[in-house]
Amino acid sequence: MASRRTRALSVFLRVTRKRGMATPEKARAAMAEPVGAHTPPGRLWRRHRVTSRTVDGFPCYTVASRTAPESGKVVIYVHGGSFFREISWWHWRFIDRLATAGHRVEVPIYPLAPQYTYRAAQPFLTSVYRQVLGDVDAGRVVLAGDSAGGTLALLLAQSLPAAGLPAPARLILLAPCLDMRLANPEIDQVEAVDPWLARPGLLKAGRVWAGGDDLGLPALSPINGPVDGLPDIDIFVGTHDILYPDARLFAERAGAGVCFIEAPGAFHVYPLAPVPEAVPAVKAVLSTVDAL
């Protein structure tokens, strides 16, 4: 059963988030809003060494603790936001936890819809990954992401063999969208209890991101991409998340290499939220990276 805090936050999300993506028209209006700032909040600059650089014309931040011993491991964290929203406070809060544990965190600020499509994002993320491998062995690199960022992290991992690059040590995915078509019949039941995501708005955002291409293409929907050669994968997802059915289906197809962690009654990207269910999830993520 979900915690009291999760239930309360679910009510808030249903009013503030789900209604805003309930129709294609509302999604289109949301995508037309001015893009917010992607700059890390001030406390990160105080607590950590934060630097930025430009890669293929887009920004990428490096966050490393000022005080914790360096682990020698790098987490490339790709933020979510339905492919059109900038990185948020919730993402930086999670990145703060990774950096505080002594891990260097690379935060690529990838191009967003509607100005860009997926065709611009993947080459940029590949360039960031290639740069990281310039000074760290792939066996000490983790690809991680939430929601749309989890989608992009998995797509990047699937594309690495064609780019002639080695696989990372691990993939950590928080509620990724694995099939952009959202056609799984089980989604109908979950959508009724999902307080955050709405299929009409997500499909509209996905079609804009796809730039007219088929949403089922492996370059857009990693559930249709290769699983051979992927590193071990941790997937965290709540059962009150319309992305849950496809995440479970992907885990079943991918086999023993996937550690599938589901939180009963939890909403979308619950490990990023200030709820009790996030505590064991964050601990598990940190323990996984520590153990590499």
Side-chain angles (χ1 to χ4, degrees), residues 186-287:
E186 295 183 23
I187 292 176
D188 292 333
Q189 293 181 339
V190 181
E191 188 168 18
V193 295
D194 186 327
W196 190 334
L197 302 182
R199 184 188 284 173
L202 282 185
L203 281 172
K204 178 61 180 179
R207 290 180 179 124
V208 173
W209 178 248
D213 288 349
D214 183 349
L215 292 178
L217 289 176
L220 285 161
S221 294
I223 200 168
N224 296 324
V227 295
D228 293 339
L230 290 175
D232 288 342
I233 305 172
D234 299 323
I235 299 178
F236 296 83
V237 64
T239 61
H240 287 191
D241 182 341
I242 64 173
L243 304 183
Y244 167 72
D246 284 328
R248 187 179 61 193
L249 180 60
F250 175 82
E252 292 170 355
R253 290 180 179 176
V258 176
C259 179
F260 187 73
I261 303 98
E262 61 181 62
F267 49 72
H268 186 54
V269 295
Y270 75 90
L272 303 185
V275 295
E277 289 85 349
V279 175
V282 173
K283 286 183 178 178
V285 169
L286 294 175
S287 295

Side-chain angles (χ1 to χ4, degrees), residues 1 29-30 34 52 55 65 81 87 89 92 101-102 109 118 124 140 150 154 167-169 187 227 242 262 270 280 290:
M1 182 177 178
S52 64
V55 180
S65 174
I87 190 169
W89 175 85
W92 288 119
I109 307 298
Y118 76 101
F124 165 63
R140 298 178 73 79
L154 178 53
I187 292 176
V227 295
I242 64 173
E262 61 181 62
Y270 75 90
D290 287 341

Side-chain angles (χ1 to χ4, degrees), residues 86-190:
E86 278 287 6
I87 190 169
S88 73
W89 175 85
W90 285 23
H91 302 118
W92 288 119
R93 181 172 177 266
F94 189 75
I95 290 163
D96 181 26
R97 296 292 303 274
L98 293 167
T100 299
H103 311 307
R104 179 178 127 203
V105 189
E106 296 289 333
V107 188
I109 307 298
Y110 59 92
L112 299 171
Q115 185 176 359
Y116 298 96
T117 71
Y118 76 101
R119 303 181 198 98
Q122 207 64 49
F124 165 63
L125 294 174
T126 302
S127 293
V128 171
Y129 186 77
R130 183 178 283 109
Q131 282 191 359
V132 169
L133 295 189
D135 56 12
V136 180
D137 183 86
R140 298 178 73 79
V141 176
V142 174
L143 278 179
D146 70 278
S147 192
T151 308
L152 292 171
L154 178 53
L155 288 169
L156 174 59
Q158 291 175 329
S159 72
L160 292 176
L165 295 171
R170 195 120 185 160
L171 276 165
I172 298 176
L173 311 177
L174 312 180
C177 179
L178 300 178
D179 190 340
M180 298 276 284
R181 298 167 296 184
L182 299 176
N184 191 322
E186 295 183 23
I187 292 176
D188 292 333
Q189 293 181 339
V190 181

